């Protein structure tokens, strides 16, 4: 891994030591050496990529960053950052400045078996996003596979499941990637957020998802970049129920495809009791409506699968895993290649305006089964 050598010139030695340790713990690429302000020759000739000063001054080298006392004095354009802010945010900013100042990309290791897994559905409301996010959490928490969640929805759901703090995100990443400033993209930490388990995602843009506007060639470049950056072992792509050109391209390029549908049968757990409270006509009418809805969903699913085969080829069936979500407790399927996930509302809780998924209960058992069905990495 390429190291970024930092020289930290500190008047406050205790602060300098604490900041050095914090920066290196937040960013393993950093190597930090601490200098006294009076030792100008040493810090200017030590070969540092960037020189950080914890105090104001003049006549400084071009590759310097100044850490200021007050947040109101911070100015990113002039490379001035608040010295008492989040060290994680500061570490990300330093990596970004490194790409700008040095004008080169961080060198990535070669692809070491990255897998792309797509999640699709023939209709909305079947839990495609929750299954995709939970699968990414399972990969990180229990299988040690670093994962990133990518949404191809028009209005993406990233912020429903993780906190996206202020900062650059997918819009800025795509701008740098396609505007000849690709070296800045190598500082990928600057553009991402994560959940409490370590699943990462790009901070969403405002309005419509900018990924939806990419051509197939541009999307290939974006996906190739994530594969080659060496940061992830699993790329989870939430397609949803769209079948546009990017959806087809994603399915074609993915190693495995999870086709998600919902169990719409057995909504009445004890029909006999309902006969006591409803007229037979009402009961029969509702049963017929439910049957028609199930038939419609089945037809839509079959049409969806046939269309994928038509656009991509019959080989697509070989990498598809059928996922039956929202199943009744205790229900399982004997069909090979089909995973049943129980309808388990208690696994989903609201927390500070976000949805928190517990994969330690019955819903999580289905997710573990799904992960087992995936080809090992």
């Amino acid at each position: 891994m390429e190291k970024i050598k930092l020289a930290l010139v500190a008047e406050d030695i205790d602060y300098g030591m604490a900041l050095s340790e914090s920066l290196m713990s937040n960013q393993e690429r950093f190597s930090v050496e601490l200098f006294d302000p009076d030792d100008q020759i040493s810090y200017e000739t030590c070969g540092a990529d960037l020189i950080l000063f914890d105090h104001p001054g003049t006549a400084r080298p071009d590759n310097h960053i100044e850490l200021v006392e007050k947040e109101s004095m911070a100015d990113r354009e002039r490379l001035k950052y608040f010295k008492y802010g989040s060290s994680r945010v500061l570490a990300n900013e330093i990596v970004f400045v490194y790409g700008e100042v040095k004008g080169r990309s961080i060198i990535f290791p070669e692809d070491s078996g990255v897998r792309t897994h797509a999640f699709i559905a023939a209709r909305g409301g079947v839990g495609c996003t929750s299954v995709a996010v939970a699968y990414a959490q399972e990969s990180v928490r229990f299988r040690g596979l670093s994962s990133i969640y990518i949404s191809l929805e028009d209005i993406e759901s990233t912020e429903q499941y993780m906190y996206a703090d202020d900062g650059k995100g997918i819009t800025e990443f795509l701008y740098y990637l396609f505007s000849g400033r690709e070296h800045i993209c190598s500082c990928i930490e600057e553009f991402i957020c994560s959940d409490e388990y370590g699943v990462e995602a790009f901070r969403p843009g405002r309005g419509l998802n900018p990924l939806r506007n990419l051509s197939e060639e541009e999307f290939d470049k974006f996906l190739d970049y994530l594969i080659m950056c060496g940061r992830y072992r699993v790329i989870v792509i939430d397609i949803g129920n769209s079948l546009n050109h990017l959806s087809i391209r994603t399915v074609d390029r993915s190693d495995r495809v999870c086709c998600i549908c919902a169990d719409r049968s057995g909504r009445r757990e004890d029909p006999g009791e309902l006969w006591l409270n409803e007229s037979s006509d009402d009961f029969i009418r509702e049963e017929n409506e439910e049957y028609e809805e199930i038939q419609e969903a089945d037809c839509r699913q079959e049409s969806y699968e046939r269309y994928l085969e038509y656009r991509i080829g019959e080989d697509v069936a070989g990498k598809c895993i059928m996922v039956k979500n929202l199943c009744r407790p205790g229900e399982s399927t004997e069909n090979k290649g089909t995973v049943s996930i129980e309808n388990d509302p208690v696994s989903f809780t609201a927390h500070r305006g976000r949805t928190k998924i517990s994969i330690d209960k019955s819903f999580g058992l289905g997710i573990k089964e799904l992960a087992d069905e995936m080809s090992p990495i």
Side-chain angles (χ1 to χ4, degrees):
M1 176 179 293
E2 179 180 358
K3 285 289 187 179
I4 299 175
K5 186 175 182 180
L6 304 178
L8 175 56
V9 183
E11 288 184 335
D12 185 340
I13 297 300
D14 291 335
Y15 168 79
M17 293 177 62
L19 181 61
S20 297
E21 293 179 5
S22 182
L23 289 175
M24 288 189 288
S25 66
N26 277 282
Q27 178 51 258
E28 58 182 359
R29 292 191 179 107
F30 287 166
S31 171
V32 185
E33 187 174 359
L34 192 60
F35 291 91
D36 186 274
D38 296 329
D39 197 2
Q40 182 176 356
I41 295 178
S42 295
Y43 65 69
E44 288 188 351
T45 60
C46 69
D49 295 302
L50 296 171
I51 303 176
L52 282 67
F53 294 87
D54 76 340
H55 56 282
T58 59
R60 287 176 169 171
D62 293 336
N63 63 334
H64 86 278
I65 291 175
E66 183 178 325
L67 305 177
V68 296
E69 291 283 340
K70 298 181 180 179
E71 193 169 5
S72 60
M73 299 168 61
D75 186 345
R76 296 182 71 195
E77 295 294 326
R78 300 171 61 188
L79 302 184
K80 294 186 177 184
Y81 298 97
F82 182 42
K83 66 190 296 184
Y84 301 118
S86 165
S87 59
R88 179 186 62 81
V89 173
L90 178 60
N92 289 342
E93 293 285 1
I94 292 172
V95 174
F96 180 79
V97 172
Y98 170 82
E100 285 274 65
V101 172
K102 306 300 289 187
R104 66 173 187 263
S105 302
I106 293 172
I107 299 174
F108 294 142
E110 294 185 1
D111 172 23
S112 58
V114 182
R115 293 293 180 266
T116 302
H117 295 156
F119 289 74
I120 63 174
R123 61 187 298 167
V126 299
C128 186
T129 296
S130 59
V131 171
V133 171
Y135 172 73
Q137 293 178 352
E138 167 73 18
S139 298
V140 171
R141 289 183 65 189
F142 301 112
R143 299 171 193 258
L145 302 174
S146 54
S147 304
I148 185 169
Y149 166 80
I150 304 294
S151 173
L152 292 185
E153 299 171 295
D154 286 329
I155 304 296
E156 57 175 303
S157 304
T158 303
E159 287 187 290
Q160 182 181 346
Y161 295 94
M162 59 186 74
Y163 294 97
D165 50 354
D166 293 336
K168 300 180 183 70
I170 186 62
T171 302
E172 292 79 8
F173 183 87
L174 294 176
Y175 169 75
Y176 292 128
L177 186 62
F178 300 123
S179 65
R181 302 172 72 185
E182 188 174 330
H183 61 279
I184 297 179
C185 295
S186 64
C187 312
I188 195 170
E189 298 93 333
E190 178 73 6
F191 305 93
I192 59 176
C193 58
S194 63
D195 67 9
E196 63 269 35
Y197 303 119
V199 176
E200 295 185 345
F202 285 99
R203 296 184 186 91
R206 296 181 179 179
L208 293 178
N209 186 350
L211 287 174
R212 302 282 292 179
N213 297 323
L214 300 184
S215 66
E216 288 189 13
E217 293 75 17
E218 290 171 332
F219 182 76
D220 281 344
K221 183 174 182 178
F222 168 72
L223 187 55
D224 288 341
Y225 198 93
L226 293 181
I227 292 172
M228 296 306 299
C229 77
R231 187 179 181 89
Y232 306 109
R233 299 292 303 281
V234 178
I235 300 173
V236 175
I237 304 181
D238 179 10
I239 296 174
N241 63 337
S242 172
L243 273 179
N244 69 354
H245 67 288
L246 284 187
S247 302
I248 298 298
R249 183 60 179 163
T250 302
V251 171
D252 191 23
R253 289 204 53 179
S254 295
D255 297 288
R256 300 305 299 267
V257 179
C258 297
C259 303
I260 302 172
C261 63
D263 177 21
R264 299 185 179 275
S265 64
R267 293 181 181 176
R268 301 176 181 274
E269 295 185 3
D270 190 356
E273 291 186 6
L274 294 171
W275 276 95
L276 301 176
N277 301 315
E278 299 183 34
S279 70
S280 59
D281 289 341
D282 290 340
F283 181 80
I284 292 171
R285 185 181 65 253
E286 291 185 20
E287 286 291 293
N288 287 338
E289 289 174 355
E290 183 175 302
Y291 176 77
E292 290 174 0
E293 184 179 346
I294 294 171
Q295 290 295 99
E296 179 186 350
D298 290 344
C299 290
R300 184 180 179 90
Q301 184 71 32
E302 291 175 5
S303 298
Y304 192 88
E305 295 168 11
R306 286 199 302 269
Y307 184 73
L308 289 178
E309 290 187 6
Y310 168 74
R311 290 293 303 273
I312 301 173
E314 295 182 357
D315 291 343
V316 69
K319 60 182 179 181
C320 285
I321 296 176
M322 301 304 299
V323 178
K324 192 175 182 182
N325 194 24
L326 305 176
C327 293
R328 290 176 297 177
E331 181 177 336
S332 61
T333 177
E334 297 180 356
N335 297 333
K336 186 177 181 180
T338 300
V339 175
S340 296
I341 300 178
E342 186 174 311
N343 183 16
D344 178 26
V346 298
S347 290
F348 298 84
T349 56
H351 178 67
R352 296 171 59 189
R354 301 292 184 266
T355 299
K356 185 174 182 180
I357 304 176
S358 171
I359 54 175
D360 301 314
K361 299 181 176 67
S362 55
F363 175 79
L365 294 178
I367 296 299
K368 294 180 191 300
E369 183 183 348
L370 171 60
D372 291 338
E373 285 287 330
M374 295 293 191
S375 58
I377 297 179

